[in-house]
Amino acid sequence: MTALISGSMAFDTIMVFKDRFANHILPDQVHILNVAFVVPEMRREYGGCAGNIAYNLRLLGEQGVPLATVGADFGVYTQWLDRWGIPRDHIRVLDDHYTAQAYITTDMDDNQITAFHPGAMGEAHQVSVPTGYDNPVGIVAPNGPDAMVQHAEQFQAAGIPFIFDPGQGLPMFDGEALLRFIDQATWVAVNDYESRLMQERTGLDLDGIAERVEGLVVTRGAEGSWIFTGGRQLQIPVVEAEQVLDPTGCGDAYRAGLLFGLGRGLDWETTGRIASLMGSIKIAKHGTQNHYFDLDEFRRRYEAAFGDALPV
């Protein structure tokens, strides 16, 4: 199974402020805000939706092919991709841009201040959906807005079933554009907040969205997830994590589980449970690509969590 992943490739620079922002930001002085935070802890992680999804699929023994644009500073990331056997055939390097990157500062109350530079991601429409793979599945994840529109159209034209997963890119689109994405897609995946925003902008409730696709997935954090398909609403349980360290990238791990199940033709209950377990494994590690398992370990974890053997 090959998954064609339209999404961002990015660096995440994560800094920890050993205090509370509230102790240094005066509410009545925010109009003249000028603060500096000393951050003794810092790490730089490989990230971006396409990179994260491809990495998680690799752990499951499948191939994810990112469709993305990156900058001249991408070199060290290429070594990481090559180490894991993630193809770079459809990642285009733009020498006059930086790779997309997020600078995230977190305080002791888990409040975050983030600056995001989209960089080369805004030119991802320069990469087209390839058509030379056997029985591929696709996903349109957060990417440059033009690329999201173009890749959805190209997936549909090529007859490639795909997930529309707008994520943090959803606010860029109005109701008309979202309806077009939904009608082009085979499946839609959103979190609870995104589902509410999508309903507000399209005028459709969850059942109305589900009627237009083969499956609508709504993730709900610690409360598990819902899957609407064929007039049914399935409740997918959450898997208790070994520890809760970092939710960043859990959605991408979940989406990789969805692609794995859909690409292999598994039923929705199994597919949702695979996705749920993927999110649980990821949240126990800092960063988005620092967790690891092999398929035998995943089988054991699946059976321990759900009491059934993984049918793979």
Side-chain angles (χ1 to χ4, degrees):
M1 185 270 286
T2 299
L4 304 177
I5 309 166
S6 170
S8 60
M9 302 291 294
F11 291 109
D12 296 330
T13 300
I14 302 167
M15 297 159 281
V16 179
F17 177 50
K18 295 292 188 176
D19 200 340
R20 292 172 171 81
F21 295 142
N23 294 335
H24 300 267
I25 299 176
L26 303 177
D28 61 343
Q29 298 296 311
V30 292
H31 62 291
I32 53 170
L33 186 66
N34 187 353
V35 295
F37 303 110
V38 176
V39 287
E41 292 183 23
M42 187 184 84
R43 65 184 191 275
R44 196 181 197 205
E45 305 282 3
Y46 303 117
C49 296
N52 295 340
I53 294 171
Y55 175 79
N56 282 282
L57 279 170
R58 200 74 188 103
L59 296 181
L60 289 167
E62 297 290 5
Q63 184 180 73
V65 179
L67 313 179
T69 43
V70 298
D73 56 341
F74 193 67
V76 65
Y77 205 151
T78 66
Q79 299 171 27
W80 176 256
L81 296 176
D82 291 347
R83 172 182 170 183
W84 287 101
I86 297 172
R88 293 188 281 115
D89 308 61
H90 303 285
I91 298 176
R92 182 170 180 177
V93 178
L94 304 179
D95 290 332
D96 56 346
H97 287 74
Y98 288 108
T99 300
Q101 37 206 299
Y103 297 90
I104 305 165
T105 304
T106 303
D107 74 357
M108 292 296 94
D109 289 330
D110 287 330
N111 297 308
Q112 290 186 335
I113 297 175
T114 300
F116 180 72
H117 173 64
M121 185 185 77
E123 298 297 318
H125 55 279
Q126 295 188 30
V127 177
S128 297
V129 169
T131 57
Y133 294 92
D134 293 332
N135 301 316
V137 294
I139 184 169
V140 173
N143 206 347
D146 292 340
M148 294 175 70
V149 170
Q150 173 178 293
H151 292 163
E153 292 173 347
Q154 292 175 346
F155 278 134
Q156 183 187 38
I160 297 172
F162 75 96
I163 299 171
F164 175 51
D165 169 26
Q168 59 266 45
L170 192 151
M172 296 187 296
F173 302 104
D174 61 18
E176 181 179 350
L178 291 172
L179 285 171
R180 187 161 54 250
F181 278 121
I182 292 167
D183 288 339
Q184 291 168 331
T186 315
W187 312 284
V188 171
V190 287
N191 65 27
D192 190 37
Y193 171 78
E194 292 157 4
S195 76
R196 296 173 189 274
L197 182 57
M198 183 176 284
Q199 290 176 77
E200 178 183 304
R201 293 199 173 181
T202 63
L204 297 174
D205 61 14
L206 292 178
D207 289 330
I209 296 171
E211 288 175 358
R212 294 176 177 241
V213 291
E214 293 183 14
L216 166 64
V217 181
V218 180
T219 60
R220 304 170 62 240
E223 297 180 18
S225 49
W226 292 329
I227 298 178
F228 299 81
T229 181
R232 299 177 298 154
Q233 179 180 337
L234 308 177
Q235 176 69 48
I236 304 300
V238 71
V239 177
E240 184 175 353
E242 293 178 351
Q243 55 184 340
V244 177
L245 288 183
D246 183 3
T248 308
C250 287
D252 294 330
Y254 187 101
R255 268 54 170 186
L258 290 181
L259 287 167
F260 178 86
L262 294 169
R264 291 202 172 202
L266 301 178
D267 62 74
W268 274 111
E269 289 88 347
T270 302
T271 296
R273 289 178 174 186
I274 290 170
S276 181
L277 179 55
M278 290 294 292
S280 171
I281 292 172
K282 196 273 111 198
I283 204 170
K285 295 289 185 181
H286 286 295
T288 58
Q289 298 181 34
N290 294 325
H291 54 295
Y292 175 78
F293 58 83
D294 60 24
L295 198 52
D296 286 338
E297 179 185 349
F298 191 80
R299 288 192 186 97
R300 291 193 295 272
R301 290 195 182 202
Y302 184 94
E303 186 168 359
F306 302 110
D308 294 319
L310 181 68
V312 175

